[in-house]
Amino acid sequence: MHLMRKCPCPVWVIKPAHHKKYARIMAALDPDPIYKKRNALNNKIMELATSLARKEGSELHVVHAWRLFGETLLSGPGRMSQGEVDKLARKTMMEHKSWVAKLVGKYAPHIPKGCIHLLKGDTEALIPAPAKRKKFELIVMGTICRTGIAGFIVGNTAENILQQVDCSVLTVKPDGFVSPVKR
């Protein structure tokens, strides 16, 4: 976990049940047009995942967990109706679907729609389930180093997912990442 958090290059954690070939690869994405650094990381994830899928002859799936920010606070007495919240959630989902489609179209234009999964909720809670259910053998995902109190309390999404899955995980750092480890 320490290496995954602080190493500036991609870190590939191979689980003991590793097969010689990866039949199914998951690219875990988090696109948002506002965040250039996050989108650059999504591009790296797709570059690695698509090149590995081509090399291995693997089935590539793309997974993105999204949520409506503050959804539980929006509804209730004196607030939005449940119908209005549902409409806003659908609009938010369609925005995320568009962002994912644009990214996937850039790297894997022929990926079947059934291999693109938009999941509503928390990434850490949602990524492990399809990884187990669909028997993915490799997850390619980004990781951003958190150090200090924030890293201790919040942890790292990639690290938390790694502990919940039985497949290998390839983590990628954003461009410009500087390791906190001094030589």
Side-chain angles (χ1 to χ4, degrees):
M1 295 299 172
H2 185 72
L3 185 61
M4 186 184 292
R5 187 175 285 196
K6 296 181 179 180
C7 185
C9 64
V11 175
W12 198 327
V13 179
I14 299 174
K15 294 284 185 139
H18 169 67
H19 303 91
K20 290 188 185 240
K21 278 187 95 167
Y22 293 104
R24 281 181 207 79
I25 296 174
M26 173 198 293
L29 303 175
D30 190 17
D32 187 330
I34 295 172
Y35 299 103
K36 289 183 180 182
K37 194 173 190 178
R38 187 187 313 167
N39 288 324
L41 182 57
N42 286 311
N43 286 322
K44 287 175 77 171
I45 292 166
M46 284 301 294
E47 285 173 12
L48 282 169
T50 55
S51 66
L52 285 167
R54 277 193 301 273
K55 181 185 177 299
E56 296 280 316
S58 306
E59 185 178 287
L60 177 63
H61 288 250
V62 173
V63 178
H64 170 59
W66 66 277
R67 70 170 95 193
L68 174 59
F69 182 75
E71 183 172 4
T72 55
L73 300 174
L74 294 174
S75 61
R79 297 186 185 119
M80 297 173 85
S81 70
Q82 188 59 48
E84 291 170 316
V85 172
D86 291 343
K87 185 177 178 181
L88 189 55
R90 280 191 300 278
K91 180 181 178 214
T92 302
M93 185 206 49
M94 294 308 289
E95 286 176 337
H96 285 263
K97 185 176 182 177
S98 171
W99 300 337
V100 169
K102 184 177 178 182
L103 187 59
V104 168
K106 188 173 165 183
Y107 293 96
H110 303 295
I111 190 169
K113 287 187 192 257
C115 293
I116 300 173
H117 312 277
L118 267 68
L119 311 172
K120 185 179 180 194
D122 180 55
T123 303
E124 289 178 36
L126 295 174
I127 297 292
K132 291 175 186 174
R133 187 175 60 252
K134 296 196 178 283
K135 296 183 170 100
F136 287 107
E137 295 155 340
L138 175 65
I139 299 173
V140 182
M141 65 185 307
T143 182
I144 299 170
C145 177
R146 282 194 206 113
T147 57
I149 301 287
F152 180 73
I153 294 171
V154 179
N156 182 304
T157 301
E159 292 173 15
N160 293 334
I161 289 172
L162 177 64
Q163 293 175 0
Q164 297 178 60
V165 297
D166 295 325
C167 63
S168 299
V169 176
L170 174 58
T171 59
V172 185
K173 291 283 193 291
D175 288 336
F177 172 79
V178 177
S179 176
V181 177
K182 304 293 179 203
R183 291 180 195 208

